[in-house]
């Protein structure tokens, strides 16, 4: 909760400022008020459709409760946002899934710079401190420096990293990593992959090949394919997610750099438009700044 409060500070401040301005401009809840509210929500990156949905729901609520003054509305807004999150589609499972028996494999995908390597490093630290035996696979053999960066995290976390030379076949790195995972009886293998979205066909082939290599030894793996998205890129993150989801089946989203954006509303857009559960959020650069995603805490942290 403290992490959420700190990490969402920017989003909350901006939203708070805007809402105060809105209340200063309007004394009564009329159409112009709702217009401005919609605009504000869209600016917070909740997405156009979601913004309309929220303001429609609010209109109804205002009618139902016979609210006339804007200051009575603010509580209704927050509650409505939490409700809308919960109501959007099927019940969401925000937890990470582990193998019931034998090793678990998580595959990390996403474009360069989204925070994949950092997320792998942070998660390794967390799993390690929970007493799990962790292994890392440096399968991003494409981005310059990605292998070294993962090796640094490995040193810091004291977790072995399976790697080969830059430019080598990612699937062969993954093959070695799976062998090592089984031989060392590790609990979790985290695979950092390259994210070349500009060439969808190649990316699709590469990811399929990686999956095949994993499934040869571990038929039920990977237990998660986690798409890492940079929250500061706003609506871009959303279209990236759509493209990745067409390339490979994504089981969950890691939303990073929420501490660096005033547009935390992107979470509501993901919920409403993608129906892929957010499972982890990055709220800073420290090792323990990777948090499980809890929708209620998040929305309250964003708008309270
Ligand atoms: P990759 O190319 O997807 O592997 O991206 P990196 O893991 O190298 O991350 C790119 C940059 O984002 C690095 O400078 C990270 O320190 C930074 N970063 C990653 N996650 C977070 C986060 O949650 N908050 C902040 N403030 N920075 C982050």
């Amino acid at each position: 909760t403290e992490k959420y409060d700190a990490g969402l500070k920017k989003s909350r401040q901006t939203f708070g400022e805007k809402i105060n301005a809105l209340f200063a401009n309007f004394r009564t809840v009329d159409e112009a008020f709702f217009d401005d509210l919609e605009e504000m929500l869209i600016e917070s990156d909740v997405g156009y459709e979601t913004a309309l949905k929220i303001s429609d729901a609010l209109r109804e609520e205002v009618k139902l409760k016979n609210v006339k003054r804007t200051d009575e509305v603010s509580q209704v807004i927050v509650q409505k946002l939490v409700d809308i999150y919960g109501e959007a589609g099927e019940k969401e499972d925000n937890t990470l899934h582990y193998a019931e028996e034998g090793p678990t494999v998580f595959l990390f995908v996403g474009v360069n710079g989204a925070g994949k390597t950092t997320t792998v490093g942070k998660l390794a630290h967390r799993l390690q401190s929970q007493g799990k035996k962790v292994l890392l696979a440096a399968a991003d053999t494409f981005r310059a420096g990605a292998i070294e960066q993962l090796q640094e995290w490995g040193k810091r976390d004291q977790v072995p990293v399976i790697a080969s030379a830059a430019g080598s076949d990612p699937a062969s790195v993954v093959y070695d990593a799976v062998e090592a995972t089984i031989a060392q009886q590790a609990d979790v293998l985290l695979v950092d992959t390259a994210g070349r979205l500009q060439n969808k066909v190649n990316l699709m082939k590469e990811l399929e090949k990686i999956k095949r290599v994993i499934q040869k030894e571990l038929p039920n793996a990977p237990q998660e394919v986690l798409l890492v998205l940079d929250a500061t890129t706003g609506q871009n993150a959303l279209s990236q997610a759509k493209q990745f989801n067409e390339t490979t089946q994504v089981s969950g989203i890691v939303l990073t750099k929420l501490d660096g954006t005033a547009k935390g509303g992107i979470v509501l857009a993901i919920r409403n438009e993608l129906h892929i559960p957010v499972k982890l959020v990055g709220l800073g650069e420290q090792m323990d700044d990777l948090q499980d995603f809890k929708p209620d805490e998040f929305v309250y942290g964003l708008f309270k």
Side-chain angles (χ1 to χ4, degrees), residues 162-179:
I162 309 300
S164 69
S168 61
D169 180 10
S172 87
V173 177
V174 174
Y175 177 84
D176 292 346
V178 169
E179 294 291 306

Side-chain angles (χ1 to χ4, degrees), residues 74-207:
S74 71
Q75 267 325 96
V76 184
I77 294 181
V78 175
Q79 192 48 51
K80 215 61 225 172
L81 285 165
V82 175
D83 291 351
I84 282 176
Y85 192 95
E87 281 161 12
E90 68 291 353
K91 181 124 182 60
E92 193 174 51
D93 179 7
N94 305 102
T95 60
L96 293 170
H97 292 204
Y98 293 87
E100 278 171 25
E101 221 179 304
T104 295
V105 182
F106 292 167
L107 211 59
F108 290 82
V109 300
V111 300
N112 279 348
K116 276 188 305 288
T117 309
T118 309
T119 300
V120 169
K122 285 178 183 171
L123 188 60
H125 169 72
R126 187 215 282 200
L127 295 173
Q128 176 100 328
S129 54
Q130 289 170 351
K132 292 195 166 98
K133 193 167 177 192
V134 185
L135 234 81
L136 307 182
D140 183 353
T141 58
F142 188 72
R143 174 167 74 87
I147 298 171
E148 291 75 15
Q149 198 183 328
L150 196 69
Q151 279 166 334
E152 258 170 52
W153 273 104
K155 256 187 231 152
R156 219 176 308 166
D157 293 340
Q158 293 186 300
V159 168
V161 180
I162 309 300
S164 69
S168 61
D169 180 10
S172 87
V173 177
V174 174
Y175 177 84
D176 292 346
V178 169
E179 294 291 306
T181 301
I182 293 167
Q184 298 177 28
Q185 294 182 306
D187 300 302
V188 189
L189 170 65
L190 304 178
V191 181
D192 187 17
T193 72
R196 281 166 286 168
L197 200 49
Q198 53 273 33
N199 193 333
K200 265 210 230 174
V201 178
N202 279 358
L203 182 65
M204 197 184 303
K205 280 190 190 151
E206 189 170 295
L207 292 174

Side-chain angles (χ1 to χ4, degrees), residues 39-60:
E39 202 172 300
M40 183 190 87
L41 290 169
I42 290 166
E43 279 174 15
S44 306
D45 262 349
V46 303
Y48 180 72
E49 280 170 42
T50 314
L52 294 192
K53 211 164 157 185
I54 292 169
S55 74
D56 282 348
L58 211 58
R59 270 196 190 88
E60 257 178 50

Side-chain angles (χ1 to χ4, degrees), residues 2 37 58 66 68 99 120 135 151 159 182 215 254 266 293:
E2 274 167 47
L37 179 70
L58 211 58
N66 201 20
K68 296 235 158 49
V120 169
L135 234 81
Q151 279 166 334
V159 168
I182 293 167
Q215 284 163 356
V254 182
I266 187 74
F293 178 64

Side-chain angles (χ1 to χ4, degrees), residues 225-266:
V225 177
L226 297 167
L227 172 62
V228 181
L229 295 176
D230 177 346
T232 65
T233 63
Q235 295 298 309
N236 251 339
L238 211 62
S239 67
Q240 266 169 33
K242 283 178 188 158
Q243 285 179 284
F244 263 101
N245 210 32
E246 287 164 12
T247 322
T248 188
Q249 202 169 358
V250 174
S251 64
I253 286 172
V254 182
L255 197 59
T256 64
K257 309 186 202 181
L258 275 160
D259 52 307
T261 179
K263 296 184 166 191
I266 187 74

